[in-house]
Amino acid sequence: MINKNPKSFKDLNKRQGFTLAELVISVGLFTILMSIAVGGFIQAMRNQRMIISLMAINDGMSLTMEQMAREIRTGYNFCTKNYPITTLSECNSLNNSEIQFVNANNQVVRYRLSNSGIEKGIGEEIGGGFIYNKITADNVDVKNLNFRLSGNNANDKYPPRITVGVSFSSNSPDVKKLNISIDAQTTISARIIDT
Amino acid sequence: MLVELMVSISLLVVGFLGFLGLLSRSLSLNRVVADQFIANYLAMEGIEITKNLIDSNIIQGSPWNQSFTTPNKCYKFDYLTTEVSPNEEGDCNPLVNPPLNYDTNNFYSYIAGAETPFFRIVSITPKGSDEIKVNSIVKWKSRGGIKNEINLEDHFFNWR
């Protein structure tokens, strides 16, 4: 005998099938919940990708800053735009995101911002040209690079101090959408002190 | 039947809400990664500025540890600090002092600029006459009010 008014699932089982309305509602509910779940899953994957690319640019930039800091720390004869050395004529052409100095191997070295990356240039001779190589990874988008120098003159009674400010982001489209920019800064005190 | 349906749907909804909450949490996590990077370099800067001030003492012919001989002093150094004056002294809890500003030259300092979430203090303790202990402490609050701290320690000696 078919129960016309089912009170529980047990009664429901006794019936021969589902009505069209029941089927439509259950399939509809299932679809809604599944679309939320899949949407959430896709979002989670996107977030994971974004965090990975953010960590990748942090690691890359950390290596670059470390290399610059180490070379500056052991360098001498610094010049920047705010602090040109008048005796070195090529210092006058520097812009705000360039620094020139002589490193521990007595090479004339320049760091500069170029094409959203940081480049290191090694000068063949004083007054000669520089051969530049990019030292940041391609996934790093360097927006800003600033050098500030102080205490660089002889007899100024201060040791050279170089402050490096860098603003960077990622070239990955996931990070670009969020407009995240990291403004990092560090100061280096040259270990070869002047007078 | 209706009750069973309501219970099962509300269970599903609660489950999904938790899941979605987790997603929005991971969104704020990427800011944590970036802030940690910045704070790390700001803390290193505190140590380097102290080293620079010690070298200034040597160039000027003063005792190497001049103005760093009093125990438990904390200082608000920035990249423009060239002398240790009473103005540079601050509370040893970084959060009591003003935060670092992002100034018009695009550097972090105490001169006018956009306020940042970073607070820094350099704590200096002399250890005898030939050694000083320097702690560069950076504190910042990330989204949701979580307090973060980086404490770098270095020791400088009377060797030059």
Side-chain angles (χ1 to χ4, degrees):
Chain A
M1 196 189 107
I2 292 167
N3 187 350
K4 285 267 161 50
N5 295 306
K7 291 274 191 303
S8 68
F9 282 117
K10 207 177 163 193
D11 295 333
L12 195 71
N13 285 341
K14 288 182 187 153
R15 290 168 57 176
Q16 296 303 306
F18 299 103
T19 66
L20 187 63
E22 281 166 346
L23 212 62
V24 165
I25 290 174
S26 62
V27 168
L29 267 179
F30 180 76
T31 314
I32 291 169
L33 288 178
M34 274 311 282
S35 61
I36 295 175
V38 169
F41 186 68
I42 289 173
Q43 185 63 42
M45 299 282 283
R46 198 177 294 148
N47 280 346
Q48 192 214 10
R49 260 207 325 263
M50 191 175 61
I51 290 175
I52 286 175
S53 46
L54 208 62
M55 281 168 72
I57 58 162
N58 276 355
D59 287 348
M61 210 51 219
S62 167
L63 276 175
T64 305
M65 283 179 80
E66 210 49 55
Q67 182 192 334
M68 286 198 313
R70 204 182 314 125
E71 202 163 15
I72 290 173
R73 200 169 282 133
T74 52
Y76 60 96
N77 277 359
F78 298 93
C79 62
T80 58
K81 194 193 177 192
N82 85 308
Y83 217 130
I85 305 177
T86 39
T87 48
L88 286 175
S89 57
E90 71 260 33
C91 287
N92 297 323
S93 64
L94 294 177
N95 65 37
N96 270 330
S97 49
E98 284 180 311
I99 187 171
Q100 179 183 311
F101 59 96
V102 182
N103 71 8
N105 297 329
N106 291 320
Q107 292 170 311
V108 185
V109 169
R110 267 188 193 188
Y111 282 101
R112 71 171 185 189
L113 173 67
S114 172
N115 295 325
S116 300
I118 298 178
E119 289 184 344
K120 176 188 173 180
I122 298 177
E124 297 294 289
E125 58 201 29
I126 299 267
F130 285 81
I131 298 162
Y132 285 98
N133 276 307
K134 193 175 174 191
I135 57 166
T136 43
D138 286 339
N139 54 2
V140 184
D141 174 21
V142 184
K143 296 178 185 302
N144 218 333
L145 178 68
N146 273 313
F147 292 103
R148 190 190 175 279
L149 178 60
S150 69
N152 195 45
N153 277 351
N155 302 320
D156 64 1
K157 301 278 181 198
Y158 292 107
R161 178 191 293 186
I162 300 98
T163 304
V164 186
V166 59
S167 302
F168 62 97
S169 184
S170 171
N171 275 325
S172 127
D174 302 307
V175 180
K176 269 201 167 139
K177 238 181 287 170
L178 278 183
N179 211 7
I180 294 177
S181 170
I182 303 171
D183 306 313
Q185 171 187 326
T186 197
T187 292
I188 303 128
S189 179
R191 294 305 191 255
I192 299 173
I193 58 175
D194 54 7
T195 46
Chain B
M1 165 99 179
L2 189 66
V3 175
E4 285 164 343
L5 199 69
M6 275 168 67
V7 167
S8 64
I9 287 182
S10 53
L11 269 179
L12 280 171
V13 167
V14 167
F16 274 118
L17 278 183
F19 181 63
L20 289 176
L22 204 69
L23 281 182
S24 61
R25 169 106 187 86
S26 72
L27 262 175
S28 67
L29 267 182
N30 59 55
R31 198 61 238 175
V32 173
V33 174
D35 282 350
Q36 222 153 39
F37 184 88
I38 298 168
N40 214 341
Y41 277 97
L42 286 177
M44 289 202 306
E45 183 181 62
I47 302 270
E48 282 287 318
I49 293 169
T50 314
K51 166 72 182 155
N52 198 264
L53 292 169
I54 292 171
D55 285 349
S56 300
N57 285 340
I58 289 160
I59 292 174
Q60 289 161 14
S62 314
W64 76 283
N65 55 357
Q66 173 166 287
S67 54
F68 297 138
T69 47
T70 335
N72 301 322
K73 284 264 181 180
C74 293
Y75 302 92
K76 298 175 288 172
F77 292 150
D78 66 10
Y79 74 101
L80 297 165
T81 307
T82 51
E83 307 284 344
V84 187
S85 66
N87 270 342
E88 263 73 47
E89 286 178 25
D91 195 281
C92 286
N93 176 8
L95 296 174
V96 175
N97 302 302
L100 286 164
N101 293 329
Y102 196 63
D103 65 25
T104 44
N105 304 320
N106 295 335
F107 289 124
Y108 290 87
S109 70
Y110 290 107
I111 59 173
E115 204 170 276
T116 70
F118 300 101
F119 296 79
R120 180 177 60 199
I121 205 78
V122 180
S123 156
I124 296 177
T125 317
K127 300 214 153 210
S129 59
D130 289 330
E131 181 183 354
I132 60 169
K133 179 175 91 123
V134 183
N135 285 77
S136 182
I137 303 160
V138 176
K139 283 192 179 183
W140 74 100
K141 275 182 196 164
S142 53
R143 219 172 351 173
I146 306 159
K147 281 179 197 158
N148 298 281
E149 180 180 335
I150 285 182
N151 187 338
L152 284 186
E153 182 171 318
D154 208 340
H155 293 245
F156 290 114
F157 298 90
N158 179 18
W159 66 275
R160 266 214 216 258

